[in-house]
Amino acid sequence: MASQDLVEPLKVGTFVRIRLSGYHRARIAEVLGPLGPKGARVYRVLVQSKPRRVYVKVLEDQIEVLGEA
């Protein structure tokens, strides 16, 4: 399911996959709001937790939902 079909923002803790990236699984850490082009939602996503946490900011059309935490 693509997130662009959703009416409401994804919840914090939802597992997602970032399209066209090397990350297989990531987790929504924060919803930044409709800051993207044409009001697209921007999410802060935790892509790696060890050895150091790595966060990436992505648009809603760049992610696919894998499941809820």
Side-chain angles (χ1 to χ4, degrees), residues 4-42:
Q4 66 190 23
D5 298 331
L6 299 175
V7 176
E8 297 182 15
L10 297 173
K11 295 180 182 178
V12 173
T14 302
F15 288 102
V16 296
R17 184 178 77 84
I18 302 173
R19 293 185 193 153
L20 302 174
S21 73
Y23 301 114
H24 300 290
R25 187 174 178 187
R27 181 180 271 190
I28 300 291
E30 185 178 3
V31 180
L32 299 175
L35 302 174
K38 297 183 182 177
R41 288 187 192 96
V42 178

mmCIF file of all heavy atoms in Angstrom, residues 4-42:
data_model
loop_
_atom_site.group_PDB
_atom_site.id
_atom_site.type_symbol
_atom_site.label_atom_id
_atom_site.label_comp_id
_atom_site.label_asym_id
_atom_site.label_seq_id
_atom_site.Cartn_x
_atom_site.Cartn_y
_atom_site.Cartn_z
ATOM 1 N N GLN A 4 0.602 7.522 -0.298
ATOM 2 C CA GLN A 4 -0.094 8.630 -0.937
ATOM 3 C C GLN A 4 -1.591 8.374 -1.005
ATOM 4 O O GLN A 4 -2.360 9.301 -1.184
ATOM 5 C CB GLN A 4 0.471 8.882 -2.319
ATOM 6 C CG GLN A 4 0.234 7.752 -3.289
ATOM 7 C CD GLN A 4 1.023 7.942 -4.556
ATOM 8 O OE1 GLN A 4 2.018 8.635 -4.568
ATOM 9 N NE2 GLN A 4 0.587 7.326 -5.608
ATOM 10 N N ASP A 5 -2.035 7.121 -0.849
ATOM 11 C CA ASP A 5 -3.450 6.795 -0.861
ATOM 12 C C ASP A 5 -4.107 7.049 0.491
ATOM 13 O O ASP A 5 -5.316 7.000 0.603
ATOM 14 C CB ASP A 5 -3.656 5.331 -1.252
ATOM 15 C CG ASP A 5 -3.133 5.051 -2.651
ATOM 16 O OD1 ASP A 5 -3.123 5.966 -3.482
ATOM 17 O OD2 ASP A 5 -2.743 3.901 -2.883
ATOM 18 N N LEU A 6 -3.310 7.296 1.528
ATOM 19 C CA LEU A 6 -3.840 7.489 2.866
ATOM 20 C C LEU A 6 -4.317 8.920 3.060
ATOM 21 O O LEU A 6 -3.719 9.859 2.554
ATOM 22 C CB LEU A 6 -2.761 7.165 3.907
ATOM 23 C CG LEU A 6 -2.232 5.734 3.890
ATOM 24 C CD1 LEU A 6 -1.104 5.596 4.889
ATOM 25 C CD2 LEU A 6 -3.334 4.757 4.207
ATOM 26 N N VAL A 7 -5.387 9.077 3.822
ATOM 27 C CA VAL A 7 -5.927 10.390 4.119
ATOM 28 C C VAL A 7 -5.247 10.949 5.365
ATOM 29 O O VAL A 7 -4.924 12.119 5.431
ATOM 30 C CB VAL A 7 -7.454 10.311 4.318
ATOM 31 C CG1 VAL A 7 -8.008 11.654 4.736
ATOM 32 C CG2 VAL A 7 -8.123 9.823 3.056
ATOM 33 N N GLU A 8 -5.026 10.105 6.377
ATOM 34 C CA GLU A 8 -4.417 10.526 7.625
ATOM 35 C C GLU A 8 -2.923 10.221 7.608
ATOM 36 O O GLU A 8 -2.479 9.296 6.933
ATOM 37 C CB GLU A 8 -5.078 9.797 8.790
ATOM 38 C CG GLU A 8 -6.550 10.116 8.928
ATOM 39 C CD GLU A 8 -7.178 9.426 10.112
ATOM 40 O OE1 GLU A 8 -6.439 8.940 10.978
ATOM 41 O OE2 GLU A 8 -8.396 9.373 10.155
ATOM 42 N N PRO A 9 -2.135 10.971 8.388
ATOM 43 C CA PRO A 9 -0.699 10.681 8.442
ATOM 44 C C PRO A 9 -0.423 9.351 9.124
ATOM 45 O O PRO A 9 -1.242 8.869 9.910
ATOM 46 C CB PRO A 9 -0.125 11.846 9.248
ATOM 47 C CG PRO A 9 -1.280 12.472 9.950
ATOM 48 C CD PRO A 9 -2.509 12.138 9.161
ATOM 49 N N LEU A 10 0.714 8.757 8.805
ATOM 50 C CA LEU A 10 1.105 7.507 9.439
ATOM 51 C C LEU A 10 1.427 7.758 10.899
ATOM 52 O O LEU A 10 1.870 8.842 11.282
ATOM 53 C CB LEU A 10 2.332 6.925 8.732
ATOM 54 C CG LEU A 10 2.139 6.551 7.271
ATOM 55 C CD1 LEU A 10 3.470 6.159 6.657
ATOM 56 C CD2 LEU A 10 1.149 5.418 7.152
ATOM 57 N N LYS A 11 1.237 6.749 11.734
ATOM 58 C CA LYS A 11 1.508 6.882 13.157
ATOM 59 C C LYS A 11 2.986 6.667 13.437
ATOM 60 O O LYS A 11 3.674 5.945 12.712
ATOM 61 C CB LYS A 11 0.689 5.862 13.933
ATOM 62 C CG LYS A 11 -0.801 6.081 13.833
ATOM 63 C CD LYS A 11 -1.544 5.039 14.613
ATOM 64 C CE LYS A 11 -3.045 5.239 14.464
ATOM 65 N NZ LYS A 11 -3.799 4.206 15.177
ATOM 66 N N VAL A 12 3.445 7.271 14.519
ATOM 67 C CA VAL A 12 4.818 7.067 14.970
ATOM 68 C C VAL A 12 4.966 5.603 15.369
ATOM 69 O O VAL A 12 4.108 5.037 16.046
ATOM 70 C CB VAL A 12 5.136 7.988 16.166
ATOM 71 C CG1 VAL A 12 6.488 7.659 16.754
ATOM 72 C CG2 VAL A 12 5.079 9.438 15.728
ATOM 73 N N GLY A 13 6.045 4.961 14.920
ATOM 74 C CA GLY A 13 6.282 3.556 15.217
ATOM 75 C C GLY A 13 5.900 2.614 14.092
ATOM 76 O O GLY A 13 6.187 1.423 14.149
ATOM 77 N N THR A 14 5.268 3.119 13.045
ATOM 78 C CA THR A 14 4.878 2.296 11.905
ATOM 79 C C THR A 14 6.125 1.892 11.114
ATOM 80 O O THR A 14 6.991 2.712 10.850
ATOM 81 C CB THR A 14 3.919 3.074 10.986
ATOM 82 O OG1 THR A 14 2.785 3.473 11.738
ATOM 83 C CG2 THR A 14 3.481 2.227 9.810
ATOM 84 N N PHE A 15 6.197 0.621 10.747
ATOM 85 C CA PHE A 15 7.319 0.137 9.949
ATOM 86 C C PHE A 15 7.047 0.408 8.476
ATOM 87 O O PHE A 15 5.948 0.162 7.980
ATOM 88 C CB PHE A 15 7.544 -1.359 10.164
ATOM 89 C CG PHE A 15 8.121 -1.668 11.505
ATOM 90 C CD1 PHE A 15 7.326 -2.149 12.526
ATOM 91 C CD2 PHE A 15 9.467 -1.464 11.755
ATOM 92 C CE1 PHE A 15 7.852 -2.422 13.761
ATOM 93 C CE2 PHE A 15 10.013 -1.734 12.984
ATOM 94 C CZ PHE A 15 9.208 -2.220 14.011
ATOM 95 N N VAL A 16 8.058 0.949 7.796
ATOM 96 C CA VAL A 16 7.932 1.311 6.388
ATOM 97 C C VAL A 16 9.175 0.877 5.626
ATOM 98 O O VAL A 16 10.188 0.521 6.223
ATOM 99 C CB VAL A 16 7.733 2.834 6.210
ATOM 100 C CG1 VAL A 16 6.437 3.293 6.826
ATOM 101 C CG2 VAL A 16 8.895 3.620 6.780
ATOM 102 N N ARG A 17 9.076 0.921 4.312
ATOM 103 C CA ARG A 17 10.214 0.701 3.418
ATOM 104 C C ARG A 17 10.350 1.937 2.560
ATOM 105 O O ARG A 17 9.366 2.443 2.024
ATOM 106 C CB ARG A 17 9.970 -0.512 2.530
ATOM 107 C CG ARG A 17 11.155 -0.855 1.633
ATOM 108 C CD ARG A 17 10.883 -2.094 0.800
ATOM 109 N NE ARG A 17 10.005 -1.809 -0.327
ATOM 110 C CZ ARG A 17 10.424 -1.324 -1.500
ATOM 111 N NH1 ARG A 17 11.682 -1.053 -1.683
ATOM 112 N NH2 ARG A 17 9.566 -1.106 -2.462
ATOM 113 N N ILE A 18 11.577 2.440 2.447
ATOM 114 C CA ILE A 18 11.826 3.616 1.614
ATOM 115 C C ILE A 18 12.134 3.126 0.204
ATOM 116 O O ILE A 18 13.070 2.355 0.001
ATOM 117 C CB ILE A 18 12.994 4.448 2.166
ATOM 118 C CG1 ILE A 18 12.683 4.879 3.601
ATOM 119 C CG2 ILE A 18 13.226 5.669 1.280
ATOM 120 C CD1 ILE A 18 13.836 5.553 4.291
ATOM 121 N N ARG A 19 11.332 3.560 -0.746
ATOM 122 C CA ARG A 19 11.512 3.129 -2.134
ATOM 123 C C ARG A 19 12.851 3.590 -2.691
ATOM 124 O O ARG A 19 13.331 4.677 -2.372
ATOM 125 C CB ARG A 19 10.411 3.696 -3.012
ATOM 126 C CG ARG A 19 9.072 3.139 -2.706
ATOM 127 C CD ARG A 19 8.067 3.661 -3.688
ATOM 128 N NE ARG A 19 6.735 3.370 -3.199
ATOM 129 C CZ ARG A 19 5.680 4.076 -3.487
ATOM 130 N NH1 ARG A 19 5.770 5.115 -4.279
ATOM 131 N NH2 ARG A 19 4.512 3.753 -2.993
ATOM 132 N N LEU A 20 13.419 2.765 -3.553
ATOM 133 C CA LEU A 20 14.658 3.066 -4.266
ATOM 134 C C LEU A 20 15.809 3.451 -3.331
ATOM 135 O O LEU A 20 16.598 4.344 -3.623
ATOM 136 C CB LEU A 20 14.428 4.177 -5.304
ATOM 137 C CG LEU A 20 13.357 3.887 -6.350
ATOM 138 C CD1 LEU A 20 13.131 5.115 -7.218
ATOM 139 C CD2 LEU A 20 13.728 2.691 -7.186
ATOM 140 N N SER A 21 15.869 2.775 -2.182
ATOM 141 C CA SER A 21 16.978 2.987 -1.249
ATOM 142 C C SER A 21 17.516 1.622 -0.829
ATOM 143 O O SER A 21 16.917 0.595 -1.106
ATOM 144 C CB SER A 21 16.518 3.765 -0.017
ATOM 145 O OG SER A 21 15.737 2.948 0.826
ATOM 146 N N GLY A 22 18.613 1.604 -0.143
ATOM 147 C CA GLY A 22 19.190 0.353 0.327
ATOM 148 C C GLY A 22 18.608 -0.111 1.642
ATOM 149 O O GLY A 22 18.968 -1.173 2.143
ATOM 150 N N TYR A 23 17.687 0.659 2.206
ATOM 151 C CA TYR A 23 17.101 0.307 3.502
ATOM 152 C C TYR A 23 15.889 -0.595 3.301
ATOM 153 O O TYR A 23 14.948 -0.233 2.606
ATOM 154 C CB TYR A 23 16.701 1.571 4.255
ATOM 155 C CG TYR A 23 17.856 2.508 4.493
ATOM 156 C CD1 TYR A 23 17.890 3.757 3.885
ATOM 157 C CD2 TYR A 23 18.913 2.149 5.306
ATOM 158 C CE1 TYR A 23 18.952 4.625 4.095
ATOM 159 C CE2 TYR A 23 19.978 2.998 5.517
ATOM 160 C CZ TYR A 23 19.986 4.231 4.912
ATOM 161 O OH TYR A 23 21.037 5.085 5.118
ATOM 162 N N HIS A 24 15.916 -1.755 3.930
ATOM 163 C CA HIS A 24 14.822 -2.712 3.765
ATOM 164 C C HIS A 24 13.670 -2.431 4.717
ATOM 165 O O HIS A 24 12.522 -2.680 4.398
ATOM 166 C CB HIS A 24 15.321 -4.133 4.002
ATOM 167 C CG HIS A 24 16.402 -4.514 3.034
ATOM 168 N ND1 HIS A 24 16.162 -4.727 1.705
ATOM 169 C CD2 HIS A 24 17.718 -4.702 3.200
ATOM 170 C CE1 HIS A 24 17.291 -5.040 1.093
ATOM 171 N NE2 HIS A 24 18.257 -5.019 1.986
ATOM 172 N N ARG A 25 13.999 -1.921 5.907
ATOM 173 C CA ARG A 25 12.967 -1.680 6.902
ATOM 174 C C ARG A 25 13.361 -0.465 7.738
ATOM 175 O O ARG A 25 14.506 -0.330 8.158
ATOM 176 C CB ARG A 25 12.839 -2.908 7.796
ATOM 177 C CG ARG A 25 11.714 -2.857 8.748
ATOM 178 C CD ARG A 25 11.620 -4.185 9.458
ATOM 179 N NE ARG A 25 10.539 -4.142 10.427
ATOM 180 C CZ ARG A 25 10.283 -5.083 11.293
ATOM 181 N NH1 ARG A 25 11.025 -6.157 11.322
ATOM 182 N NH2 ARG A 25 9.293 -4.969 12.133
ATOM 183 N N ALA A 26 12.405 0.401 7.964
ATOM 184 C CA ALA A 26 12.639 1.603 8.759
ATOM 185 C C ALA A 26 11.400 1.843 9.615
ATOM 186 O O ALA A 26 10.373 1.205 9.427
ATOM 187 C CB ALA A 26 12.903 2.793 7.856
ATOM 188 N N ARG A 27 11.507 2.778 10.542
ATOM 189 C CA ARG A 27 10.395 3.067 11.448
ATOM 190 C C ARG A 27 10.136 4.569 11.485
ATOM 191 O O ARG A 27 11.065 5.361 11.568
ATOM 192 C CB ARG A 27 10.730 2.567 12.846
ATOM 193 C CG ARG A 27 9.623 2.803 13.852
ATOM 194 C CD ARG A 27 10.013 2.289 15.195
ATOM 195 N NE ARG A 27 9.605 0.896 15.267
ATOM 196 C CZ ARG A 27 9.625 0.194 16.370
ATOM 197 N NH1 ARG A 27 10.096 0.704 17.480
ATOM 198 N NH2 ARG A 27 9.217 -1.053 16.360
ATOM 199 N N ILE A 28 8.856 4.955 11.431
ATOM 200 C CA ILE A 28 8.486 6.366 11.515
ATOM 201 C C ILE A 28 8.831 6.868 12.914
ATOM 202 O O ILE A 28 8.381 6.310 13.908
ATOM 203 C CB ILE A 28 6.973 6.568 11.257
ATOM 204 C CG1 ILE A 28 6.563 6.061 9.878
ATOM 205 C CG2 ILE A 28 6.582 8.027 11.451
ATOM 206 C CD1 ILE A 28 7.083 6.867 8.731
ATOM 207 N N ALA A 29 9.633 7.937 12.988
ATOM 208 C CA ALA A 29 10.028 8.506 14.272
ATOM 209 C C ALA A 29 9.248 9.790 14.580
ATOM 210 O O ALA A 29 9.010 10.097 15.746
ATOM 211 C CB ALA A 29 11.525 8.803 14.280
ATOM 212 N N GLU A 30 8.859 10.521 13.525
ATOM 213 C CA GLU A 30 8.184 11.803 13.741
ATOM 214 C C GLU A 30 7.442 12.199 12.469
ATOM 215 O O GLU A 30 7.916 11.956 11.361
ATOM 216 C CB GLU A 30 9.238 12.860 14.073
ATOM 217 C CG GLU A 30 8.709 14.208 14.433
ATOM 218 C CD GLU A 30 9.825 15.182 14.794
ATOM 219 O OE1 GLU A 30 11.010 14.824 14.717
ATOM 220 O OE2 GLU A 30 9.480 16.311 15.146
ATOM 221 N N VAL A 31 6.282 12.792 12.650
ATOM 222 C CA VAL A 31 5.518 13.340 11.533
ATOM 223 C C VAL A 31 5.762 14.844 11.541
ATOM 224 O O VAL A 31 5.387 15.535 12.477
ATOM 225 C CB VAL A 31 4.011 13.045 11.668
ATOM 226 C CG1 VAL A 31 3.245 13.636 10.493
ATOM 227 C CG2 VAL A 31 3.765 11.554 11.783
ATOM 228 N N LEU A 32 6.421 15.350 10.502
ATOM 229 C CA LEU A 32 6.774 16.765 10.453
ATOM 230 C C LEU A 32 5.668 17.630 9.872
ATOM 231 O O LEU A 32 5.678 18.842 10.031
ATOM 232 C CB LEU A 32 8.071 16.952 9.663
ATOM 233 C CG LEU A 32 9.288 16.244 10.253
ATOM 234 C CD1 LEU A 32 10.485 16.391 9.337
ATOM 235 C CD2 LEU A 32 9.598 16.769 11.634
ATOM 236 N N GLY A 33 4.734 17.014 9.171
ATOM 237 C CA GLY A 33 3.600 17.753 8.638
ATOM 238 C C GLY A 33 3.678 17.975 7.137
ATOM 239 O O GLY A 33 4.567 17.475 6.463
ATOM 240 N N PRO A 34 2.744 18.761 6.608
ATOM 241 C CA PRO A 34 2.665 18.995 5.154
ATOM 242 C C PRO A 34 3.661 20.062 4.682
ATOM 243 O O PRO A 34 3.281 21.148 4.262
ATOM 244 C CB PRO A 34 1.229 19.437 4.955
ATOM 245 C CG PRO A 34 0.877 20.103 6.244
ATOM 246 C CD PRO A 34 1.610 19.338 7.310
ATOM 247 N N LEU A 35 4.938 19.741 4.741
ATOM 248 C CA LEU A 35 5.986 20.695 4.391
ATOM 249 C C LEU A 35 6.550 20.492 2.992
ATOM 250 O O LEU A 35 7.345 21.298 2.526
ATOM 251 C CB LEU A 35 7.133 20.591 5.405
ATOM 252 C CG LEU A 35 6.755 20.827 6.867
ATOM 253 C CD1 LEU A 35 7.950 20.542 7.756
ATOM 254 C CD2 LEU A 35 6.263 22.224 7.063
ATOM 255 N N GLY A 36 6.155 19.416 2.327
ATOM 256 C CA GLY A 36 6.697 19.094 1.013
ATOM 257 C C GLY A 36 5.985 19.830 -0.103
ATOM 258 O O GLY A 36 5.080 20.636 0.119
ATOM 259 N N PRO A 37 6.391 19.547 -1.337
ATOM 260 C CA PRO A 37 5.759 20.173 -2.500
ATOM 261 C C PRO A 37 4.273 19.836 -2.577
ATOM 262 O O PRO A 37 3.881 18.696 -2.369
ATOM 263 C CB PRO A 37 6.506 19.597 -3.688
ATOM 264 C CG PRO A 37 7.598 18.758 -3.163
ATOM 265 C CD PRO A 37 7.442 18.636 -1.696
ATOM 266 N N LYS A 38 3.452 20.826 -2.850
ATOM 267 C CA LYS A 38 1.994 20.674 -2.944
ATOM 268 C C LYS A 38 1.396 20.097 -1.671
ATOM 269 O O LYS A 38 0.411 19.360 -1.719
ATOM 270 C CB LYS A 38 1.618 19.816 -4.149
ATOM 271 C CG LYS A 38 2.024 20.418 -5.468
ATOM 272 C CD LYS A 38 1.568 19.584 -6.629
ATOM 273 C CE LYS A 38 2.042 20.202 -7.927
ATOM 274 N NZ LYS A 38 1.682 19.374 -9.080
ATOM 275 N N GLY A 39 2.001 20.359 -0.529
ATOM 276 C CA GLY A 39 1.456 19.921 0.757
ATOM 277 C C GLY A 39 1.716 18.467 1.101
ATOM 278 O O GLY A 39 1.032 17.912 1.956
ATOM 279 N N ALA A 40 2.685 17.838 0.474
ATOM 280 C CA ALA A 40 3.003 16.442 0.773
ATOM 281 C C ALA A 40 3.576 16.347 2.190
ATOM 282 O O ALA A 40 4.360 17.191 2.614
ATOM 283 C CB ALA A 40 4.015 15.895 -0.228
ATOM 284 N N ARG A 41 3.160 15.323 2.925
ATOM 285 C CA ARG A 41 3.651 15.138 4.286
ATOM 286 C C ARG A 41 5.112 14.710 4.280
ATOM 287 O O ARG A 41 5.537 13.943 3.429
ATOM 288 C CB ARG A 41 2.830 14.082 5.008
ATOM 289 C CG ARG A 41 1.455 14.556 5.361
ATOM 290 C CD ARG A 41 0.745 13.522 6.227
ATOM 291 N NE ARG A 41 -0.653 13.849 6.338
ATOM 292 C CZ ARG A 41 -1.598 13.327 5.578
ATOM 293 N NH1 ARG A 41 -1.313 12.423 4.676
ATOM 294 N NH2 ARG A 41 -2.848 13.693 5.725
ATOM 295 N N VAL A 42 5.838 15.190 5.278
ATOM 296 C CA VAL A 42 7.237 14.833 5.454
ATOM 297 C C VAL A 42 7.353 14.049 6.753
ATOM 298 O O VAL A 42 6.775 14.430 7.776
ATOM 299 C CB VAL A 42 8.133 16.087 5.500
ATOM 300 C CG1 VAL A 42 9.583 15.707 5.740
ATOM 301 C CG2 VAL A 42 8.000 16.886 4.214
#
